[in-house]
């Protein structure tokens, strides 16, 4: 059920970063952190793509107006969560994600027949995948805003490809649509 709000928050963060609406970027980044346990990854990757391609002055502004406020909320929220549950890594994250990064941590693991990204490509076809890869390559080559968006999309795609999903469908890829 969180897919639609999460996608809208992702779009909101992207638009906020594109138009230098720092207060809105900070707010949507914080809401992404609250919406999903891994929301900080999506927010962090989007902010990082714009941060690394910004001028020095803009980087300082982004750090002060977006990254630091979002980081403070992230630390406070996850610090509270850790103190309350006495668990640094939530059980759903460990069961659904961490075993992919640290194999053999769980007693029972049912690997999917096909990776998350390959399953998505199989459903929509290689032509669509090649078109998206070409658009990302063009954005990287062109520079400016297309480069920022392409960097963010590639980073998020890499994360989604590694993490995948335990449910049917491609809800994690919805956040990549913008």
């Amino acid at each position: 059920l969180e897919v639609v709000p999460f996608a809208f928050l992702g779009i909101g963060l992207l638009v906020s970063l594109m138009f230098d609406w720092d207060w809105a970027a900070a707010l949507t980044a914080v809401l992404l952190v609250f919406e999903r346990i891994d929301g900080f990854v999506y927010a962090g990757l989007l902010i990082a793509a714009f941060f690394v391609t910004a001028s020095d002055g803009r980087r300082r502004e982004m750090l002060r107006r977006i990254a630091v406020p979002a980081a403070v909320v992230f630390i406070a929220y996850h610090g509270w969560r850790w103190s309350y549950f006495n668990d640094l890594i939530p059980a759903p994250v460990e069961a659904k994600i961490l075993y992919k990064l640290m194999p053999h941590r769980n007693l029972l693991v049912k690997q999917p027949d096909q990776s998350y990204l390959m399953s998505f490509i199989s459903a929509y076809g290689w032509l669509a995948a090649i078109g998206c890869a070409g658009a990302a390559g063009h954005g990287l080559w062109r520079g400016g805003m297309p480069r920022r968006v392409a960097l963010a999309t590639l980073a998020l795609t890499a994360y989604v490809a590694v993490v995948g999903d335990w449910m049917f469908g491609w809800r994690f890829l919805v956040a990549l649509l913008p």
Side-chain angles (χ1 to χ4, degrees), residues 98-117:
L98 196 59
Y99 82 90
K100 295 174 184 177
L101 304 175
M102 300 170 147
H104 310 295
R105 297 247 335 184
N106 297 5
L107 294 175
L108 177 65
V109 175
K110 182 186 180 302
Q111 293 283 3
D113 295 333
Q114 197 173 32
S115 75
Y116 193 68
L117 195 58

Side-chain angles (χ1 to χ4, degrees), residues 81-104:
R81 193 195 53 70
W82 182 21
S83 70
Y84 185 81
F85 293 108
N86 200 23
D87 192 9
L88 182 61
I89 300 172
V93 172
E94 188 169 355
K96 299 171 190 172
I97 298 171
L98 196 59
Y99 82 90
K100 295 174 184 177
L101 304 175
M102 300 170 147
H104 310 295

